Amino acid sequence: MVRICNQINYQLQDYLQGLVNSQPHLKQVDQSPILYCLPKAGQIPIISGGGSGHEPAHAGFVGQGMLTAAVSGPIFVPPSSQDILTAIRHLDQGQGVFLIIKNFEADLQAFSQAIKEARSEGRQVKYVVSHDDISVETSTFQVRHRGLAGTILLHKILGQASLEGASLDQLEELGLAITSQTATIGFATKPPHLPGQDQPLFDLPDHCISYGIGIHGEDGYRTVPFQSSENLAIEIVNKLKLAFRWQEGEDFILLVNNLGTSTDLEQTIFLNDLIQLLQLEGLNLPFIKNGRYMTSLDMAGISVTLCRLADQKWLDYLTAPCQAQAW
Amino acid sequence: MVRICNQINYQLQDYLQGLVNSQPHLKQVDQSPILYCLPKAGQIPIISGGGSGHEPAHAGFVGQGMLTAAVSGPIFVPPSSQDILTAIRHLDQGQGVFLIIKNFEADLQAFSQAIKEARSEGRQVKYVVSHDDISVETSTFQVRHRGLAGTILLHKILGQASLEGASLDQLEELGLAITSQTATIGFATKPPHLPGQDQPLFDLPDHCISYGIGIHGEDGYRTVPFQSSENLAIEIVNKLKLAFRWQEGEDFILLVNNLGTSTDLEQTIFLNDLIQLLQLEGLNLPFIKNGRYMTSLDMAGISVTLCRLADQKWLDYLTAPCQAQAW
């Protein structure tokens, strides 16, 4: 299997350089894995980040109206607390910074350490933890609550709110409100492979799909033979319905995320089944986004994020134009 | 291998319905494979189309400032002349329509027939044929000149020009000027598979790449073991240099197109090597676009399009905001 790269150890560096060389609004902090754009004077910078292997997350979402900076780590490994701290120091204009963190143990550790150190320097730092995953651990049936593609809605809504002048406290409140209304679940039709390895990260028999997979090669809660796109949509909508216990007539934001290498043809066929089922449930979908946002290397599959539209203002933030190339 | 769909025969219909259901500006002509958006009063409608399997081309480029309508055929089969004629009749506001056609024999036949019939009804129809491919036929060493991802630049530039009031004659002149300055060449790291088939459309040994592939499963002019991203960029830049015989200091538009299932990580690493080589050549790259525009089912690979910027006005057309979701 060919993986286009030069040296595996330089993948992240080459990737970040490719972004900086092709997008004039992006800047890199020295040789670090930190990409940023210039914040508006007085704006609270929004910083996020995580391991690489999820492209375009997170660096592709840097731009006015979305992330001010993204800090990247190696494949599936969060950035170091030192790099996160460097980003905070670089972007803080004196009014503090706001962080968006995905709910994984290693990410929380690195970000917490950086927050602790930044605060000890007298900086104001607030954050939100995205935990939109509603899949279950197969052995315990516990909901996993990892941070998945729902995180991208936080990037966009908080990014626009900060551009429009939201304070640190307002960003925290808004972030909490969104995370409590956001749920994501997906499926894989092909497992991912680490670069340079021909063995997949989990076993998935040919012609089978796995429901509830993660974005780091974690397998799902159930593996079954593929039947049809409609069938996939039924399972996903049922799980989302259990999570939301929605009422007819409610407004939801829908984000359908390609987990890597499904084709646009497949994704849009699935989207069609999904929309029909959600409309049958009587839901309104005033904002639909269908693309690649948070992938898992070469995994094939799709995740579905719904966010209950608790405040119509969120729609304005979502639909505002922004500079980030991957939105 | 799982392909997400319901019935293979309904793939195109389900796909188009998914687009219409998720993008409020898109409309479908009855049950036909024609998606369109409302043209501005007096605007010359821009119509393109082709077989499916190239998503997001062509229907994903329908929107104000780009295509007015896209007519789709089955996988790798152009639309019928009847469907093209229906699109022309539906969109013609009396000032005529402009067509963008990819240079393939079957496409030319279907579009020519439709143009003939539309003209016999008294309609004004002009067109441009995109023929950006600079790869060679292995048996004859003849340049193939198929219509590839360079076609997307025509969609955007002509779409914006028509929105700004260009006449049929002006669109024709502009289209000819662009096609004569546009060249595309690419490589595959994995061949494509037709839906429901486990056999690839051409043989490509593991760990090899093929240069000069087409977008319908046509193999390339040379198959060699993969060495590095930089090595790929060197071959591609050499071929483009032969086609353009550029001078230092010239301005070029660069469009890097994912042919299906390469990852964003791979594509951006390759983009980085490509930009460095083109800058070494002394070229200016005032507009760089990196994404998925014209794919070939689940093929992995990347194509590179350069367009010599003969007129700075083209940049204004390219950078103008537009409604098409896939641009």
Side-chain angles (χ1 to χ4, degrees):
Chain A
M1 187 184 330
V2 171
R3 279 317 152 76
I4 304 164
C5 71
N6 292 304
Q7 288 187 48
I8 283 188
N9 290 342
Y10 289 102
Q11 278 184 110
L12 175 58
Q13 201 168 308
D14 291 352
Y15 169 76
L16 295 175
Q17 205 180 344
L19 290 185
V20 170
N21 285 339
S22 59
Q23 297 181 41
H25 70 279
L26 293 182
K27 298 172 188 306
Q28 185 167 11
V29 178
D30 300 328
Q31 300 298 307
S32 76
I34 305 167
L35 295 196
Y36 70 101
C37 66
L38 291 179
K40 240 173 69 175
Q43 181 197 345
I44 308 282
I46 308 283
I47 303 176
S48 190
S52 47
H54 306 302
E55 293 70 24
H58 297 81
F61 299 112
V62 175
Q64 278 215 341
M66 212 159 167
L67 296 182
T68 319
V71 194
S72 299
I75 301 271
F76 294 169
V77 176
S80 69
S81 60
Q82 197 51 52
D83 284 333
I84 301 166
L85 185 60
T86 301
I88 293 172
R89 285 177 179 153
H90 196 84
L91 272 306
D92 186 8
Q93 305 183 72
Q95 292 101 330
V97 303
F98 192 84
L99 305 181
I100 300 171
I101 310 167
K102 296 202 303 300
N103 192 26
F104 292 98
E105 205 180 325
D107 289 63
L108 287 176
Q109 269 178 11
F111 277 89
S112 301
Q113 180 63 29
I115 291 170
K116 209 172 105 184
E117 294 183 37
R119 284 179 175 165
S120 75
E121 296 172 355
R123 297 177 193 281
Q124 299 178 67
V125 185
K126 295 217 166 193
Y127 64 89
V128 66
V129 177
S130 74
H131 50 74
D132 48 318
D133 181 15
I134 55 161
S135 73
V136 291
E137 178 61 52
T138 36
S139 55
T140 61
F141 293 101
Q142 292 291 301
V143 180
R144 295 200 262 205
H145 284 318
R146 300 167 292 201
L148 300 177
T151 313
I152 307 303
L153 297 177
L154 283 169
H155 293 174
K156 181 64 172 78
I157 296 175
L158 295 177
Q160 184 62 27
S162 92
L163 190 68
E164 294 183 17
S167 67
L168 261 188
D169 286 343
Q170 287 169 331
L171 291 170
E172 184 183 44
E173 193 184 340
L174 182 55
L176 285 171
I178 296 163
T179 50
S180 68
Q181 297 295 349
T182 305
T184 297
I185 188 153
F187 60 85
T189 62
K190 196 192 83 179
H193 302 73
L194 288 172
Q197 295 189 14
D198 285 348
Q199 275 300 96
L201 284 169
F202 61 86
D203 286 328
L204 186 55
D206 213 18
H207 305 292
C208 281
I209 53 112
S210 179
Y211 287 114
I213 37 62
I215 54 172
H216 302 102
E218 309 98 325
D219 66 354
Y221 59 79
R222 194 161 78 242
T223 296
V224 291
F226 170 74
Q227 292 186 301
S228 70
S229 168
E230 188 187 1
N231 206 266
L232 292 171
I234 290 170
E235 170 76 15
I236 296 294
V237 168
N238 277 339
K239 286 286 176 291
L240 289 165
K241 187 175 181 174
L242 279 169
F244 283 107
R245 302 184 177 278
W246 53 55
Q247 307 285 321
E248 218 175 295
E250 284 192 287
D251 290 348
F252 279 86
I253 294 156
L254 170 63
L255 180 133
V256 180
N257 172 54
N258 195 313
L259 286 161
T261 58
S262 296
T263 62
D264 281 20
L265 184 63
E266 294 173 286
Q267 180 170 359
T268 307
I269 289 171
F270 171 73
L271 171 69
N272 187 45
D273 288 305
L274 192 65
I275 291 175
Q276 291 187 46
L277 288 176
L278 293 171
Q279 287 175 340
L280 267 180
E281 291 284 322
L283 305 188
N284 303 319
L285 303 171
F287 184 85
I288 299 173
K289 194 87 178 158
N290 184 46
R292 269 173 192 78
Y293 309 103
M294 175 96 64
T295 64
S296 181
L297 294 168
D298 66 334
M299 184 158 77
I302 296 171
S303 73
V304 178
T305 300
L306 281 180
C307 172
R308 183 185 264 125
L309 192 60
D311 185 340
Q312 292 292 324
K313 184 71 189 150
W314 301 358
L315 256 191
D316 299 337
Y317 292 140
L318 278 173
T319 53
C322 91
Q323 207 178 23
Q325 179 259 352
W327 173 248
Chain B
M1 187 182 332
V2 171
R3 280 319 153 75
I4 304 165
C5 71
N6 291 304
Q7 287 188 50
I8 283 188
N9 290 343
Y10 289 102
Q11 278 184 110
L12 175 58
Q13 199 167 309
D14 291 352
Y15 169 77
L16 295 175
Q17 204 181 342
L19 290 184
V20 170
N21 285 340
S22 58
Q23 297 180 44
H25 69 279
L26 293 181
K27 298 171 188 304
Q28 185 165 12
V29 178
D30 299 328
Q31 298 299 306
S32 77
I34 305 167
L35 295 197
Y36 70 102
C37 66
L38 291 179
K40 240 172 71 174
Q43 179 197 347
I44 308 282
I46 308 283
I47 303 176
S48 191
S52 47
H54 306 302
E55 293 68 26
H58 297 79
F61 298 111
V62 175
Q64 277 215 343
M66 213 159 166
L67 297 182
T68 318
V71 194
S72 300
I75 300 273
F76 295 170
V77 176
S80 69
S81 61
Q82 198 50 52
D83 284 333
I84 301 166
L85 185 60
T86 301
I88 295 172
R89 286 176 179 154
H90 195 84
L91 272 307
D92 185 9
Q93 305 182 72
Q95 291 102 330
V97 303
F98 192 83
L99 304 181
I100 302 171
I101 310 168
K102 295 201 304 302
N103 191 27
F104 293 97
E105 205 180 325
D107 289 64
L108 288 176
Q109 270 177 12
F111 278 88
S112 303
Q113 182 63 30
I115 291 170
K116 209 173 106 182
E117 294 182 40
R119 284 177 174 165
S120 76
E121 294 173 357
R123 299 178 192 279
Q124 299 178 69
V125 185
K126 295 217 165 193
Y127 63 90
V128 66
V129 177
S130 73
H131 51 75
D132 48 319
D133 182 16
I134 55 160
S135 73
V136 291
E137 179 59 51
T138 37
S139 56
T140 61
F141 294 100
Q142 292 292 302
V143 180
R144 293 199 262 205
H145 285 316
R146 301 168 288 200
L148 299 178
T151 313
I152 307 302
L153 297 177
L154 284 169
H155 292 175
K156 181 65 172 77
I157 296 176
L158 295 177
Q160 183 62 27
S162 91
L163 190 67
E164 294 183 17
S167 69
L168 260 187
D169 287 342
Q170 288 169 329
L171 290 170
E172 184 183 44
E173 193 183 339
L174 182 55
L176 285 172
I178 296 163
T179 50
S180 69
Q181 298 294 350
T182 305
T184 297
I185 188 153
F187 60 85
T189 62
K190 196 192 81 179
H193 302 74
L194 288 172
Q197 293 189 14
D198 286 347
Q199 274 301 94
L201 284 169
F202 62 86
D203 286 326
L204 186 54
D206 212 17
H207 305 290
C208 281
I209 54 111
S210 179
Y211 287 114
I213 36 63
I215 53 170
H216 303 103
E218 308 97 325
D219 66 355
Y221 59 80
R222 195 162 78 242
T223 296
V224 291
F226 170 74
Q227 292 185 301
S228 69
S229 168
E230 188 186 0
N231 206 267
L232 292 172
I234 289 170
E235 169 77 15
I236 296 294
V237 168
N238 278 338
K239 287 286 176 292
L240 289 164
K241 188 175 181 173
L242 280 169
F244 282 107
R245 302 183 178 278
W246 53 57
Q247 307 285 319
E248 218 175 294
E250 284 192 287
D251 290 347
F252 279 86
I253 294 157
L254 170 62
L255 180 133
V256 180
N257 173 53
N258 196 314
L259 286 161
T261 59
S262 297
T263 62
D264 281 20
L265 183 64
E266 294 174 285
Q267 180 170 0
T268 307
I269 289 170
F270 171 74
L271 170 69
N272 187 45
D273 288 306
L274 192 66
I275 291 175
Q276 290 187 47
L277 289 174
L278 293 171
Q279 287 176 340
L280 267 179
E281 292 284 322
L283 305 188
N284 303 318
L285 303 172
F287 183 85
I288 300 173
K289 193 88 179 157
N290 184 46
R292 271 175 189 78
Y293 309 103
M294 175 97 64
T295 65
S296 181
L297 293 170
D298 66 335
M299 184 158 77
I302 296 172
S303 74
V304 179
T305 300
L306 280 179
C307 172
R308 184 184 262 123
L309 193 59
D311 185 338
Q312 292 292 326
K313 183 73 190 147
W314 300 359
L315 257 191
D316 299 337
Y317 291 140
L318 278 173
T319 53
C322 89
Q323 204 177 27
Q325 179 262 350
W327 173 247

